[in-house]
Amino acid sequence: MTNRSGILFAVGATVAGLMTGVPSPAAADGVAPSAAQLTWTGCATKSYPTLQCSTVRTPLNHDDPSGRSITLALSRIPHTAKASQGPLLVNPGGPGGSGLAMAGFVAASLPKETAAQYDVIGFDPRGVGKSSPALNCVPKYFGPRRPDPVPLDLRTEQANRDRAASFAAACGAKYPDLLPYMDTVSTAKDLDVIRQALGSPQINYFGYSYGTYLGAVYAKLFPQRVRRLVLDSNVDPDGVWYDDNIGQDYAFDARQKAFAAWIAKHDSTYGLGSDPAKVEAAWYGMSEAVRKEPAGGTVGMSELQDTFLPGGYNNGYWPYLADAFAAYVNHKDQDALVRAYKKLGAVDDKGDNGYSVYAAVQCHDAEWTRDWNTWRSDSWKVHGKAPFYTWNNTWYNAPCASWPVAPLNPVQVSNDALPPALLFQATEDAATPYEGGVTMHRRLRGSSLVVEQGGGNHGITLSGNKCLDRYLVDYLDKGTVPRGNGSGADTDAVCPKSPDPEPPAAGTSAKTLRSATADGGAVLHGMLGFRG
C-alpha cells in the first residue's frame, strides 16, 4: 500500500548505530547472538520521546549468507517493567510500509502497564524508507495527470499498458541485483535476523494488513520462534496476489456505496439528496465531469479515485471527502477537489518508495498472468458490478504483467505448530475482505478470531474500539484468547462496530480533517497507507 503525503504521520527519526556480521537464520543453528551487537541511539520525536533507533545487516540472499548484505533500519520503545515479555515486532503492512513510527504508536496506544512489558520494535523492511538500499523505480510515477483509468477506447488502454510496462522495465534496469530478492519470504527471514540481533530466542509479532501475511509466513518458516502472534485485518493467504486484488475491487465498491448512504443520511448537511443511489450517481457524474475537464487542471478521473479511496479504508475521512464532494457538485468549487487531492491522493517520495516495494514484492511473490486478454476480460467483468475502483486497481498492479523477475511459488501458511494466535477482522473491510480473516483463522490451527460486526475500517485495534482492544490487551498481558463465544463456527468473539462519524457541527468545516484526526485511528491509518 502506498503512503499518501498529506496523511502520513512520519517518525522523523534519524537512524544511527550499525551491526555487522549477522549470520543468516540457516547459519545460526538456533543460537541467538548477543543483543549487545545492536547499538541504540536516541531518535525521539515530540510524540514518542523515548524512541530509539539502530540498524542491522542482513544477507541480500539468505541462501548465500556470506555474500552481499543490506541494511535494515530499526526503532524501539524499550520495556520499563522489571520483567520483560521480550520483543514485540510491529509491522503496518504494504508491502512497502515504513514501520519505524509503529513502535512509538503501538507503545503509546497500549495501556502503560502492557507496553511496559515489551521492547516494541519497529522496522523498515528491505527496500523501504530508512533501510538501504531503498527502492524508487520511477520518481513521481503517480504525479498528475495520469491517463483515465477506465479505458473507454483502445488509445487510453494502450497508454495505461505502456505506462505500466515502462515502470516494470525501469525497475528491472535500475535494480537488477535487488529485485530477485524482494519478496515476502526474504523479508520473513530478515525478521529472524532481527530476532537474533535482539538476543531473543522468540519474538512476539503484531502485524496489520499485508503485515498479517508477513507474520504468517514467518510463523511457517520459524514456528518455534513465535511466542505470540497478533494479526489485524488479514490478507487471504489463498489469493496472493491476483485474486486478492479482485476481491478488493468488489469490497471497495461496497464501501463507496456505504459512503453514499452516509451522505444521504446527512442530506441536511451536504445537500446531495436523501437517496443513496442518487448520491452515488452524483459522484459518478462528478467523475465524468473531471474526466472531460480536470478540476484545477490537476484532478482528473484517476486523481479523483485516488482522493476518495482513503474513505474505503477509514470512514473517519468521510466528512472531509463529503465536504469536497458537495462543494464541487453544489457550488462548482474545483479548488475543493484540488485541496482534497493534495491531502489524500497525492503521492510524495515516501509514496514512490512504497509503491516500488509494493510492486517488487507482489509481482515476485506469486505468478501473475502474462496474458493481457485475461486482465482485460476480468477487469471489465468486475467493473460491470463494481465500477468505483476496479480499473484503477488494475493499472496499479499492471506492472506485474511484464515484471522482469520470474515469480515464486506462494508459501502455504497452514500451521499446526504455533501457540494460539489472535486474529482481528472487520466484516466490511475493503482492503482485506472478511473472508481472508476466516481463511487465515482456518489455516492457523488453534488461532482465535475476533470479529468487528458491521465494521468497515481497515486496521481495527488501537483505534478506539474498547471491546477489540480488551481482547488484544488480555492476549499481550497473559496470552489468553477467547474460545467459541462468537456467533458462528468461524468466530470466537464478536465486538460491535465503532460508531460512524458525524458531520462537523453547523458553522464549522471539515477542511482541516478535524473529524478524521479525532482519535488514534487517524494516526494508525496514516501509517497503514491506502493500498494493500
Side-chain angles (χ1 to χ4, degrees):
M1 61 193 65
T2 57
N3 293 318
R4 304 296 183 171
S5 59
I7 297 299
L8 182 67
F9 289 73
V11 65
T14 56
V15 179
L18 179 66
M19 180 192 140
T20 59
V22 178
S24 74
D29 294 328
V31 179
S34 169
Q37 294 183 77
L38 283 176
T39 300
W40 295 96
T41 61
C43 55
T45 68
K46 183 177 180 180
S47 298
Y48 311 127
T50 62
L51 193 70
Q52 300 173 345
C53 290
S54 187
T55 59
V56 63
R57 305 290 294 183
T58 188
L60 174 63
N61 177 4
H62 284 280
D63 291 332
D64 182 17
S66 62
R68 179 182 172 184
S69 63
I70 57 177
T71 302
L72 305 177
L74 310 178
S75 62
R76 177 179 74 167
I77 300 291
H79 76 277
T80 55
K82 291 182 179 180
S84 171
Q85 297 209 48
L88 174 63
L89 274 65
V90 296
N91 180 268
S98 170
L100 294 181
M102 281 293 294
F105 169 78
V106 169
S109 300
L110 288 170
K112 290 183 179 179
E113 58 272 20
T114 300
Q117 301 172 57
Y118 290 92
D119 290 317
V120 185
I121 307 294
F123 60 97
D124 277 354
R126 57 175 53 203
V128 175
K130 298 287 186 179
S131 292
S132 180
L135 275 62
N136 189 344
C137 297
V138 180
K140 304 188 185 304
Y141 180 70
F142 286 99
R145 287 187 48 246
R146 309 200 307 276
D148 295 336
V150 182
L152 299 178
D153 52 58
L154 291 177
R155 181 179 179 180
T156 301
E157 179 178 336
Q158 192 62 51
N160 277 296
R161 287 186 64 186
D162 291 346
R163 186 171 173 274
S166 68
F167 182 90
C171 282
K174 196 171 184 178
Y175 303 110
D177 53 338
L178 297 179
L179 293 189
Y181 308 106
M182 293 297 300
D183 56 80
T184 301
V185 169
S186 294
T187 303
K189 291 180 178 179
D190 290 342
L191 296 188
D192 210 58
V193 171
I194 295 172
R195 176 196 63 78
Q196 295 172 64
L198 294 169
S200 179
Q202 293 182 307
I203 64 168
N204 308 281
Y205 180 88
F206 183 3
Y208 290 92
S209 192
Y210 164 79
T212 65
Y213 184 64
L214 175 61
V217 170
Y218 178 83
K220 181 68 173 183
L221 299 178
F222 306 102
Q224 75 281 8
R225 299 301 183 194
V226 177
R227 182 174 178 270
R228 287 179 188 160
L229 182 67
V230 181
L231 306 179
D232 184 329
S233 303
N234 290 263
V235 166
D236 185 340
D238 292 353
V240 294
W241 291 111
Y242 187 86
D243 289 345
D244 278 352
N245 275 278
I246 289 178
Q248 282 187 337
D249 297 340
Y250 289 109
F252 273 108
D253 196 80
R255 289 307 289 162
Q256 179 73 354
K257 285 179 168 59
F259 173 50
W262 181 86
I263 292 175
K265 178 181 177 181
H266 298 288
D267 180 47
S268 60
T269 298
Y270 299 111
L272 291 168
S274 58
D275 181 351
K278 290 184 178 180
V279 173
E280 189 176 19
W283 192 92
Y284 285 106
M286 176 175 65
S287 178
E288 177 63 17
V290 300
R291 185 184 71 84
K292 295 177 179 178
E293 182 183 344
T298 299
V299 181
M301 185 183 284
S302 289
E303 291 75 25
L304 184 76
Q305 291 179 357
D306 289 350
T307 301
F308 280 79
L309 183 63
Y313 282 84
N314 182 358
N315 61 15
Y317 300 120
W318 285 0
Y320 178 76
L321 290 170
D323 189 64
F325 178 14
Y328 181 86
V329 172
N330 295 332
H331 306 293
K332 310 302 180 185
D333 185 354
Q334 296 190 22
D335 290 341
L337 288 187
V338 174
R339 288 192 299 269
Y341 166 71
K342 289 180 178 178
K343 285 186 176 292
L344 294 177
V347 176
D348 60 7
D349 291 343
K350 295 183 180 69
D352 287 340
N353 167 240
Y355 178 68
S356 296
V357 174
Y358 170 94
V361 172
Q362 291 215 352
C363 295
H364 187 35
D365 259 358
E367 184 175 2
W368 296 69
T369 179
R370 299 283 175 138
D371 178 10
W372 183 251
N373 289 329
T374 300
W375 288 73
R376 179 193 294 115
S377 176
D378 287 347
S379 295
W380 278 120
K381 178 182 177 181
V382 177
H383 175 85
K385 297 180 180 179
F388 168 62
Y389 174 62
T390 296
W391 274 106
N392 186 307
N393 198 28
T394 294
W395 301 123
Y396 195 81
N397 291 285
C400 296
S402 58
W403 199 247
V405 178
L408 303 172
N409 293 318
V411 174
Q412 300 299 311
V413 302
S414 296
N415 206 320
D416 59 4
L418 293 174
L422 183 60
L423 281 56
F424 293 90
Q425 198 76 27
T427 58
E428 312 306 315
D429 184 357
T432 52
Y434 175 72
E435 293 76 14
V438 173
T439 300
M440 188 72 84
H441 179 36
R442 292 172 177 172
R443 295 288 177 269
L444 303 183
R445 184 175 179 180
S447 64
S448 179
L449 177 61
V450 179
V451 172
E452 184 185 24
Q453 185 65 45
N457 288 344
H458 181 61
I460 56 177
T461 57
L462 304 183
S463 297
N465 189 311
K466 293 181 180 179
C467 175
L468 297 169
D469 289 350
R470 183 176 68 250
Y471 289 112
L472 173 65
V473 170
D474 284 348
Y475 182 67
L476 292 177
D477 282 348
K478 299 172 290 188
T480 57
V481 297
R483 289 295 184 199
N485 297 320
S487 58
D490 288 315
T491 60
D492 294 284
V494 176
C495 289
K497 75 169 187 174
S498 298
D500 288 340
E502 292 294 327
T508 63
S509 171
K511 290 181 180 179
T512 61
L513 285 180
R514 177 190 59 80
S515 57
T517 57
D519 57 37
V523 181
L524 172 62
H525 287 278
M527 294 175 184
L528 299 186
F530 302 129
R531 296 276 189 175

